Amino acid sequence: MNKKEIISKAEEFVKEKMKNYDPGHDWSHVERVRNLAGIINSDLRADPFILDLAAILHDSADSKFPGGTRYDEIVNFLESSGQSAITARLINVIRNISFSNKNPEGDLNDPVYLVLQDADRLDAIGAIGVARAFSYGSYRKNKLYEPGDEHGGKPGTTIHHFYDKLLKLTELMNTEEGRRLAEERHRFLEKFLQQFYKEWNS
Ligand code: ADP
Ligand code: NI
């Protein structure tokens, strides 16, 4: 199988796996992340084929959703596509990319991991990030907001998630280009919150 065939087989595999996820984690998220990863990787420090394959597969083992693929299914997919030589590397990237994974382990200097994590984080902030947060919040039937969220509050509302995760992402960017792109999106989150409180309290 050539690289083009492997990519289209991976696209098919992932589209099927993600069809029951929420609209914030649908195929369009994968496409945006692939695109952002390509922009961040303009100096090609990560191998473009491995990066693209990792971007396609990155959310296909998401335990937040029923039917989220198990890692063994990704391993089977890669091995049956003749990709045994890079299977362990891809699994390492996919396992470690998640913000909710508090104990990343393995090779955390792999440029594929560094670039892809930034791309995934960029899609969690800015206007798209806001849309995705409320999408996932409604999927969980979470409230929009509880007074006190702006001072930390308690988990369980979508505005709380801004403080818990989204506002922290810009500082955590791995690459210079990722950070540059994150800044505008970060400012948008702050503006959004300001307006949200203004309307809530009016
Ligand atoms: P990661 O893949 O880094 O673990 P998640 O899957 O937790 O990230 O987050 C992916 C998307 O879902 C992001 O846009 C994030 O903001 C959103 N999300 C995750 N948890 C929540 C939550 N509790 N409330 C609202 N949005 C959330
Ligand atoms: Ni993602």
Side-chain angles (χ1 to χ4, degrees):
M1 229 184 290
N2 64 34
K3 288 183 177 173
K4 216 174 140 199
E5 287 165 341
I6 294 159
I7 293 291
S8 50
K9 218 177 132 198
E11 290 174 342
E12 255 171 65
F13 170 77
V14 170
K15 277 182 190 166
E16 179 62 27
K17 291 299 165 194
M18 293 178 81
K19 69 178 188 212
N20 296 320
Y21 289 14
D22 82 307
H25 291 82
D26 64 0
W27 178 248
S28 72
H29 166 62
V30 174
E31 287 188 316
R32 289 190 302 272
V33 169
R34 288 172 82 179
N35 185 39
L36 288 165
I39 293 170
I40 296 169
N41 194 41
S42 57
D43 62 356
L44 300 183
R45 64 192 178 132
D47 176 277
F49 169 70
I50 301 181
L51 178 61
D52 199 27
L53 199 50
I56 294 169
L57 295 168
H58 87 276
D59 268 337
S60 63
D62 198 325
S63 57
K64 291 197 295 307
F65 301 104
T69 316
R70 302 185 314 267
Y71 288 101
D72 60 331
E73 290 181 5
I74 303 181
V75 170
N76 287 344
F77 166 75
L78 289 168
E79 289 182 347
S80 70
S81 312
Q83 299 307 304
S84 308
I86 57 168
T87 298
R89 185 174 172 194
L90 284 165
I91 295 292
N92 172 64
V93 169
I94 296 167
R95 262 188 210 286
N96 285 321
I97 201 177
S98 162
F99 180 85
S100 32
N101 178 357
K102 300 280 186 234
N103 297 306
E105 53 186 16
D107 180 5
L108 304 180
N109 295 313
D110 184 340
V112 171
Y113 164 71
L114 298 171
V115 169
L116 184 56
Q117 188 173 55
D118 276 9
D120 195 33
R121 285 173 168 170
L122 281 173
D123 205 52
I125 56 179
I128 301 254
V130 171
R132 294 184 68 221
F134 285 100
S135 164
Y136 185 70
S138 0
Y139 173 80
R140 293 280 300 268
K141 301 214 181 327
N142 286 345
K143 282 189 173 174
L144 304 181
Y145 166 72
E146 283 274 19
D149 279 347
E150 59 275 44
H151 310 297
K154 290 191 302 293
T157 79
T158 300
I159 293 291
H160 173 83
H161 182 68
F162 281 62
Y163 296 92
D164 197 31
K165 171 178 170 179
L166 305 185
L167 291 165
K168 294 177 181 168
L169 294 178
T170 300
E171 276 177 22
L172 295 173
M173 286 291 171
N174 302 312
T175 67
E176 239 172 77
E177 182 61 359
R179 183 179 300 258
R180 201 183 64 74
L181 294 169
E183 275 160 7
E184 184 189 5
R185 293 175 184 234
H186 187 91
R187 283 194 295 274
F188 181 82
L189 292 183
E190 293 177 330
K191 235 163 82 184
F192 172 83
L193 287 170
Q194 243 176 23
Q195 180 72 15
F196 185 95
Y197 297 136
K198 189 173 162 192
E199 294 175 16
W200 190 279
N201 295 314
S202 65

